[in-house]
């Protein structure tokens, strides 16, 4: 169970793009804790240097401020690297609807540059962040790889394109690529601020600040909220997965289903707050329900998530109580 006992060749070097973001900074820290070298590449566009400043003095850690839209930067960052964990991208479905061109340049061209740099530098494994949004409007639950519907946002399209390039780079160049279809990740260091913040940290902050939360829609939408440590495990297990499992995308979730309205009242209870939410309109591009079948990742990557929602949310709340 978990990832802490996984073993890589001594002196292995990991490049984490988007390493100053929520998921990336947790990956950087976990890998350093396991005793391997970490190169963190980030342009600090949505991430924060404070997420990784505590790593600066640790042996084996390097921070590179750079943009994956620039191929030269990607090439230099990949020199001597064994494993790439490509997390750099802009998230948020509604923001992508406002800025479709930027999402194409950043999330598709950026990832393609990284894949090309990884190929030219003979990187062993290229693991990259995809998203459950690639399922689009396909109504069937749970979501199973291979049953995708029509896409609902430019963001989802960028992730679908990344997966297609991942498939092609395996087929044409034998680069071992693994797409991680994350389902609503949450946990320490996820940014609670700004119009595009994810719902869990946003609600925790508003409740702690004495403010009112707005729920988009009726609150009866459900998601497979996934604790950050499960995501770390998935990335590291993909790095150790056989080549036959490459060129594919995998659902990375816990396999549960939580309703937004229930989460709201659970958070109120855990934080000792007695306040009703207000309800706003549905958000464009959002799906009503999402929950993952994780049997493919279990079977082919040996993924065995350790944290269910209850265990993860308790840890996340503790973290926000002391760090906000
Ligand atoms: N958090 C989730 O629930 C979730 C769900 C599905 C997919 N994802 C994907 O996981 C990845 C990480 O997401 P996150 O939640 O940590 O977001 P985040 O915004 O906290 O982290 C993304 C990081 O990438 C960096 N970045 C963006 N564009 C860059 C560029 N061109 N060059 C260099 N760095 C760049 C940002 O500065 C930021 O530090 C993203 O690819 C996202 O699409 C996240």
């Amino acid at each position: 169970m978990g990832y802490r006992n996984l073993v890589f060749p001594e002196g292995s070097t990991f490049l984490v793009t988007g390493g100053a973001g929520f998921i990336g900074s947790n990956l950087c820290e976990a890998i350093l804790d396991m005793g391997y070298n970490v190169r963190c590449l980030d342009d600090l566009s949505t991430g924060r240097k404070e997420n990784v400043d505590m790593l600066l003095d640790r042996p084996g850690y390097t921070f590179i401020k750079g943009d994956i839209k620039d191929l030269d930067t990607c090439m230099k960052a990949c020199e001597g690297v064994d494993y790439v964990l490509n997390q750099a991208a802009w998230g948020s479905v509604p923001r992508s609807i406002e800025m479709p061109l930027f999402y194409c340049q950043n999330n598709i061209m950026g990832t393609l540059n990284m894949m090309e740099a990884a190929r030219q530098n003979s990187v062993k494994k290229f693991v990259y962040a995809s998203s459950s949004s690639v399922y689009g409007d396909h109504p069937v639950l749970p979501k199973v790889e291979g049953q995708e519907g029509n896409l609902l946002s430019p963001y989802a399209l960028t992730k679908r394109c990344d997966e297609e390039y991942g498939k092609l780079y395996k087929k044409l160049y034998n680069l071992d690529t693994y797409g991680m279809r994350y389902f609503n990740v949450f946990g320490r260091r996820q940014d609670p601020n700004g119009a595009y913040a994810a719902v869990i940290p946003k609600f925790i902050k508003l409740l702690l600040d004495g403010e009112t939360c707005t729920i988009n829609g009726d609150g009866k939408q459900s998601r497979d909220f996934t604790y950050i440590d499960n995501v770390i495990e998935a990335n590291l297990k993909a790095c150790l997965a056989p080549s036959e499992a490459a060129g594919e995308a995998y659902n990375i979730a816990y396999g549960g289903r939580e309703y937004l309205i229930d989460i709201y009242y659970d958070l109120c209870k855990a934080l000792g707050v007695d306040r009703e939410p207000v309800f706003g309109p549905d958000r464009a591009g959002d799906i009503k329900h999402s929950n993952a079948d994780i049997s493919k990742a279990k079977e082919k990557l040996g993924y065995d998530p350790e944290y269910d929602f209850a265990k993860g949310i308790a840890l996340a709340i503790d973290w926000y109580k002391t760090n906000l």
Side-chain angles (χ1 to χ4, degrees):
M1 287 267 271
Y3 60 86
R4 290 172 191 83
N5 297 326
L6 298 176
V7 177
F8 292 87
E10 209 181 320
S12 288
T13 298
F14 291 75
L15 169 62
V16 182
T17 74
F22 158 48
I23 296 174
S25 65
N26 278 290
L27 285 168
C28 289
E29 188 176 33
I31 297 164
L32 276 178
D33 286 348
M34 290 165 72
Y36 303 106
N37 302 315
V38 172
R39 222 171 270 173
C40 169
L41 170 64
D42 204 297
D43 68 353
L44 301 178
S45 53
T46 61
R48 300 185 317 132
K49 201 147 179 304
E50 301 85 80
N51 283 341
V52 280
D53 271 349
M54 74 291 187
L55 305 177
L56 279 174
D57 293 336
R58 294 187 52 175
Y61 177 74
T62 322
F63 178 77
I64 307 166
K65 183 168 186 298
D67 186 341
I68 64 165
K69 291 197 287 307
D70 178 53
L71 180 60
D72 267 1
T73 301
C74 300
M75 288 293 289
K76 283 193 194 103
C78 279
E79 274 172 26
V81 163
D82 298 294
Y83 308 98
V84 170
L85 305 178
N86 186 58
Q87 309 300 311
W90 272 29
S92 171
V93 161
R95 185 168 50 190
S96 78
I97 295 173
E98 288 162 25
M99 306 171 67
L101 296 184
F102 180 80
Y103 271 71
C104 176
Q105 288 151 2
N106 202 54
N107 293 9
I108 301 176
M109 272 316 296
T111 293
L112 182 55
N113 281 338
M114 279 305 306
M115 243 180 246
E116 180 58 18
R119 171 175 92 90
Q120 291 197 33
N121 282 279
S122 307
V123 161
K124 287 182 195 157
K125 304 281 184 188
F126 186 89
V127 183
Y128 61 95
S130 182
S131 157
S132 59
S133 63
V134 298
Y135 287 104
D137 65 359
H138 198 287
V140 168
L141 289 177
K143 306 291 179 197
V144 183
E145 297 91 341
Q147 295 183 5
E148 293 83 14
N150 296 308
L151 298 173
L152 299 172
S153 67
Y155 172 71
L157 178 56
T158 67
K159 295 298 183 182
R160 174 83 61 85
C161 280
D162 291 348
E163 288 189 0
E164 291 299 323
Y165 276 114
K167 218 189 282 179
L168 258 188
Y169 264 61
K170 172 64 184 166
K171 198 176 153 107
L172 297 178
Y173 312 116
N174 202 26
L175 176 68
D176 278 356
T177 63
Y178 304 83
M180 308 278 98
R181 287 186 181 173
Y182 303 145
F183 282 66
N184 295 78
V185 189
F186 71 96
R188 57 189 177 276
R189 287 202 285 275
Q190 188 170 29
D191 194 349
N193 298 305
Y196 303 109
V199 68
I200 288 180
K202 186 174 178 166
F203 281 4
I204 294 176
K205 183 168 193 314
L206 289 170
L207 290 171
L208 286 173
D209 288 351
E211 291 183 42
T212 300
C213 297
T214 302
I215 293 181
N216 297 117
D218 59 7
K220 291 183 185 143
Q221 57 271 55
S222 66
R223 295 286 183 273
D224 198 335
F225 285 99
T226 307
Y227 188 58
I228 182 66
D229 284 39
N230 298 334
V231 166
I232 298 173
E233 178 200 326
N235 275 271
L236 295 181
K237 286 198 170 156
C239 290
L240 294 170
S243 284
E244 301 80 70
E248 302 267 338
Y250 296 88
N251 288 347
I252 302 303
Y254 183 75
R257 189 168 164 193
E258 312 299 325
Y259 289 84
L260 198 52
I261 191 76
D262 295 339
I263 292 181
Y264 175 79
Y265 287 114
D266 286 351
L267 290 176
C268 286
K269 200 168 152 202
L271 297 169
V273 175
D274 181 13
R275 196 175 309 123
E276 289 303 310
V278 298
F279 294 89
D282 281 318
R283 278 194 333 190
D286 266 355
I287 44 171
K288 187 81 181 169
H289 300 291
S290 183
N291 125 270
D293 178 329
I294 55 171
S295 43
K296 182 176 171 186
K298 279 186 161 177
E299 188 193 324
K300 296 200 174 182
L301 308 178
Y303 173 61
D304 184 16
E306 201 178 340
Y307 295 85
D308 64 12
F309 180 73
K311 206 165 153 187
I313 196 74
L315 290 167
I317 290 171
D318 277 354
W319 188 87
Y320 282 107
K321 271 186 184 164
T322 42
N323 289 280
L324 271 184

